Amino acid sequence: MTDASGSTGTAAPLPVLDADFASRLAAAFAPDGPLARAIDGFRARPQQVEMAHAVAQAMQARATLVAEAGTGTGKTFAYLVPALLAGGKVIVSTGTRTLQDQLFFRDLPTVRDALGAPLRIALLKGRSNYVCHWHLGRAAQDGRFASRADVAHLKAIERFARTSETGDRGHLAEVPEDAAIWSVVTSTRDNCLGNECPHHGECFVLKARRDALEADVVVVNHHLFFADVVLRDEGAGELLPACNTVILDEAHQLPDTAGTFFGESSSSTQWLELARDTKLEAVASAADFAPLPDAVAAFDKAVRDLRLAWSAPAGRAPAHDALARTGFDDALATVADALATLESLLGFQAERSEGLARLQERAAEQQAKLARWRDGATADMVRWVEVFSHAVQLHATPLSIAPHFRRQVDASARAWVLVSATLSVRGDFAHYLAQMGLESVSTAAWDSPFDYAHQALLYVPEGMPEPNTPDYTRAVVDAAMPLIEAAGGRTFLLFTSLRAMREAHERVIDGLKQRALDCPVLVQGEGSRTELLDRFRRLGNAVLIGSHSFWEGVDVRGPTLSLVVIDRLPFTPPDDPVLTARIAKITEAGGNAFMDWQLPHAVIQLKQGAGRLIRDERDRGVLMLCDPRVITKQYGKRVWRSLPPMRRTRSQDDAVAFLEALER
């Protein structure tokens, strides 16, 4: 273990663990203990036991612990065992709904049953994950759908709603997770009827909340956790006051996720949904009031014209740049005027139905948010625009989430445990702690138990051009092809941008044809991440090309994945509006933005990507990092030393030989 708590300056060491608790913890992980008896192949690792001990200390002292546990440590059991032994109310939050399900359906029951702990567990997701009886019925009554597939999907969802105990859309595999119908048959904070809903007694969201309130351990995800911290809407806000411990797994995601919720955003998608819902409610409750459908049509047109007013390519821009573009500010003003008219007319008709009253509240809230965005930024917020092919989003993002998160930690005496495989740069947590406002807390790091020197090779090819050159992606693919051939496919190609990913896709297909290699090629966007990973595992010799979605949270074990290629160091694009503002603030304060922010952030992201290769003791493979700056730049040493202790080489022959020697 590397104990980095001293580097935080004022953090006191965690107190000695109560003798009885320490004894029960040791017994749980013992070679002949309950975990070993209940779980085939279970073998406690020293790092796992040490981490469990540190988590227990933090829980006992109601302190904050930031812990980095290398891949293979067994961090999930390391925090679940003390959490279940300690008793009290525990919230476990993780990065994605998939990991939520894994915790709730597999890991938690396994540990609970092994320990014989008579504890109730519950799964709580955001309301958009649960079928809404009211919106489902209204969709069926309306009968207008975007596609024929949605008609079939609606029938499947109706059958599911009649038989399901939870209404969790994740349990209906028949309907794809990205199907358009889901937005019509689930509720949002804005369009939920609350106590006025005729289906209030059978509401799946309320049932999930009740189960969570009665449970000892509740599993949530980061989006729900922070949405609730800010809005007190989805149910976890009722859980926090009674909670003894909060465990935040995949904690490296917290700064970005929290920034979304401690800021504010509006989007053309939200506005069009408001127009759609108003149109339907007007027919049902105010059919004789002609001005309302006219106002809806005008608002709908103004929103769609806003996207058309953006003549530049899709992307991000600071607010002042966006508003300076010809026609955009005028189009935004037209949206604001049309929204104000709509809100006024809804207010005039609000007494006619609960639905119209709710729509007036939604319109008023959207009007206020749009006015705040147009009025200008505050000193601690960055205004910016993100434009997609069919949508526009307006954001106001805090320069730092530190004060917001620190307030949550200081609000009451409970334990906070933040855990991830990637939080530090060579054991230095300073960057992460500064982001989270946790400069004075205890930290600890445990290296992976894997034998990286034997299991993996880190290859940085010679002769690569600088990443900013036009032909860089072609050079990456050309350099990777001999290794892909040696690996027989079985490759992840990870890119830092969608543009590079798309260019590489075509070049990989051409390269495989030239070498007469019969390897299937999968690319991000052809299906959901889960679908692509299932196909990758099933095919056994595929090449998967991805961008940010595949840098983390992806677990492919065994020889199916033998080569991971990373195109370049994952620095945040320099034209990112939030990064630009943060750099300016750091520089203004006399700091070095590159060394203090950009480089540590990139290293943590790189460690996530590199972590896709070796997932258990039997995995072997090559990590190919194409970016020559790891070698040519002075800062490259910090990057190089932060990666797992794999054997290093710059020889293509070494890398090819390593892959050819692997047993398939």
Side-chain angles (χ1 to χ4, degrees):
M1 179 184 75
T2 300
D3 184 357
S5 58
S7 68
T8 63
T10 58
L14 293 170
V16 175
L17 191 60
D18 172 82
D20 178 63
F21 198 167
S23 175
R24 289 189 293 144
L25 199 61
F29 286 101
D32 59 347
L35 294 174
R37 291 195 300 270
I39 303 169
D40 290 340
F42 177 82
R43 179 173 56 85
R45 304 178 179 96
Q47 298 93 330
Q48 185 181 52
V49 177
E50 288 180 12
M51 178 180 164
H53 196 88
V55 171
Q57 288 176 286
M59 294 180 67
Q60 177 182 279
R62 297 197 171 186
T64 298
L65 171 68
V66 176
E68 180 178 80
T71 305
T73 301
K75 62 182 173 67
T76 304
F77 281 18
Y79 64 68
L80 285 182
V81 170
L84 297 189
L85 289 177
K89 189 92 171 183
V90 179
I91 295 177
V92 181
S93 180
T94 191
T96 65
R97 292 190 297 266
T98 301
L99 291 173
Q100 248 190 299
D101 287 341
Q102 178 179 308
L103 269 169
F104 180 75
F105 291 107
R106 191 184 74 182
D107 297 335
L108 253 173
T110 297
V111 175
R112 180 188 61 180
D113 295 348
L115 297 178
L119 300 175
R120 292 166 296 181
I121 63 176
L123 179 69
L124 185 62
K125 299 180 181 180
R127 66 167 63 248
S128 64
N129 292 279
Y130 301 98
V131 176
C132 171
H133 294 92
W134 165 255
H135 288 285
L136 176 60
R138 203 159 94 162
Q141 183 178 8
D142 179 50
R144 284 176 287 185
F145 303 99
S147 66
R148 289 184 178 180
D150 280 347
V151 178
H153 292 158
L154 181 72
K155 298 297 183 184
I157 295 170
E158 287 181 314
R159 292 192 298 271
F160 173 71
R162 287 194 294 268
T163 58
S164 173
E165 293 187 5
T166 66
D168 184 342
R169 58 187 268 188
H171 302 162
L172 182 59
E174 183 180 342
V175 179
E177 61 185 58
D178 58 352
I181 191 69
W182 285 122
S183 66
V184 181
V185 300
T186 56
S187 69
T188 66
R189 182 177 66 90
D190 292 329
N191 64 24
C192 173
L193 296 182
N195 293 335
E196 302 299 323
C197 180
H199 301 279
H200 187 266
E202 55 184 341
C203 176
F204 290 125
V205 173
L206 291 180
K207 181 182 183 302
R209 290 183 183 180
R210 287 193 296 268
D211 291 346
L213 285 170
E214 295 170 0
D216 302 292
V217 182
V218 184
V219 182
V220 301
N221 61 60
H222 297 336
H223 280 82
L224 170 60
F225 182 83
F226 282 111
D228 195 71
V229 163
V230 175
L231 301 172
R232 292 289 185 263
D233 173 64
E234 301 289 349
E238 299 172 278
L239 301 174
L240 271 176
C243 172
N244 302 100
T245 302
V246 175
I247 299 173
L248 300 169
D249 199 351
E250 301 298 321
H252 62 279
Q253 298 178 4
L254 296 178
D256 289 339
T257 305
T260 300
F261 291 101
F262 289 126
E264 191 170 75
S265 64
S266 301
S267 72
S268 59
T269 301
Q270 293 173 322
W271 299 333
L272 291 173
E273 287 175 354
L274 173 62
R276 179 199 67 195
D277 293 346
T278 303
K279 183 178 180 179
L280 292 173
E281 187 64 28
V283 171
S285 304
D288 58 344
F289 186 62
L292 192 52
D294 291 342
V296 170
F299 179 53
D300 186 284
K301 182 179 185 303
V303 173
R304 297 181 189 278
D305 286 348
L306 177 67
R307 175 60 187 90
L308 297 175
W310 186 275
S311 56
R316 297 179 171 187
H320 56 82
D321 286 355
L323 295 173
R325 293 181 185 273
T326 303
F328 188 77
D329 191 21
D330 290 340
L332 194 59
T334 302
V335 170
D337 291 342
L339 178 56
T341 300
L342 181 63
E343 190 275 331
S344 176
L345 292 173
L346 283 167
F348 186 63
Q349 297 291 303
E351 293 184 357
R352 300 184 66 170
S353 76
E354 179 66 23
L356 288 171
R358 289 299 180 107
L359 286 163
Q360 189 270 332
E361 292 174 4
R362 285 172 61 184
E365 181 179 348
Q366 289 296 330
Q367 190 178 10
K369 288 167 69 173
L370 179 54
R372 284 193 293 270
W373 194 90
R374 296 182 69 210
D375 284 346
T378 59
D380 61 344
M381 301 288 281
V382 182
R383 287 185 310 152
W384 53 286
V385 177
E386 187 163 20
V387 180
F388 302 91
S389 56
H390 299 291
V392 177
Q393 294 180 347
L394 309 179
H395 299 278
T397 303
L399 276 170
S400 171
I401 67 157
H404 305 281
F405 188 76
R406 185 76 221 191
R407 274 198 299 274
Q408 302 303 319
V409 173
D410 292 342
S412 60
R414 66 170 60 93
W416 291 77
V417 179
L418 288 73
V419 185
S420 173
T422 57
L423 294 176
S424 76
V425 179
R426 296 191 65 206
D428 182 356
F429 289 80
H431 173 69
Y432 184 78
L433 297 179
Q435 282 185 293
M436 301 299 295
L438 300 176
E439 288 86 348
S440 59
V441 304
S442 297
T443 63
W446 292 269
D447 293 333
S448 169
F450 296 155
D451 183 4
Y452 281 106
H454 172 72
Q455 291 180 251
L457 184 70
L458 172 58
Y459 167 51
V460 180
E462 293 186 298
M464 289 295 294
E466 288 297 308
N468 59 355
T469 56
D471 291 334
Y472 184 73
T473 299
R474 182 176 67 183
V476 168
V477 174
D478 289 349
M481 287 309 304
L483 276 70
I484 294 173
E485 181 174 10
R490 309 171 194 271
T491 298
F492 274 7
L493 279 160
L494 302 180
F495 291 87
T496 55
S497 74
L498 291 172
R499 183 173 61 182
M501 181 195 78
R502 296 184 187 108
E503 180 184 347
H505 181 208
E506 300 301 323
R507 293 192 179 279
V508 167
I509 291 174
D510 290 343
L512 293 173
K513 287 180 179 177
Q514 291 172 11
R515 293 171 179 264
L517 296 176
D518 186 21
C519 298
V521 178
L522 311 176
V523 64
Q524 178 179 320
E526 288 181 337
S528 70
R529 185 170 77 165
T530 300
E531 291 168 342
L532 287 174
L533 288 172
D534 286 345
R535 289 171 60 194
F536 183 85
R537 295 186 185 100
R538 188 170 61 251
L539 289 165
N541 68 332
V543 176
L544 190 152
I545 305 170
S547 184
H548 300 288
S549 294
F550 290 88
W551 278 69
E552 60 180 88
V554 174
D555 191 4
V556 178
R557 303 186 182 208
T560 303
L561 178 61
S562 300
L563 172 63
V564 172
V565 181
I566 294 177
D567 72 330
R568 67 179 78 197
L569 298 177
F571 288 111
T572 304
D575 59 350
D576 180 272
V578 180
L579 176 64
T580 301
R582 284 175 177 155
I583 289 174
K585 186 170 184 179
I586 294 171
T587 303
E588 182 181 332
N592 184 324
F594 181 78
M595 298 301 292
D596 296 343
W597 185 278
Q598 292 168 274
L599 183 61
H601 190 75
V603 168
I604 290 172
Q605 291 295 109
L606 179 64
K607 288 166 66 177
Q608 278 291 321
R612 298 316 97 211
L613 181 64
I614 303 298
R615 305 302 299 172
D616 67 25
E617 293 91 340
R618 296 178 297 277
D619 283 350
R620 298 188 71 198
V622 171
L623 172 64
M624 178 178 177
L625 178 54
C626 299
D627 197 325
R629 293 174 294 183
V630 176
I631 304 297
T632 61
K633 301 295 184 182
Q634 185 65 29
Y635 63 76
K637 294 178 181 177
R638 289 185 66 185
V639 179
W640 189 259
R641 293 168 183 164
S642 295
L643 291 170
M646 305 172 179
R647 183 164 65 86
R648 266 72 161 156
T649 186
R650 302 210 65 196
S651 166
Q652 182 186 99
D653 291 343
D654 283 353
V656 167
F658 189 100
L659 290 167
E660 289 178 340
L662 298 181
E663 295 182 8
R664 303 295 179 206

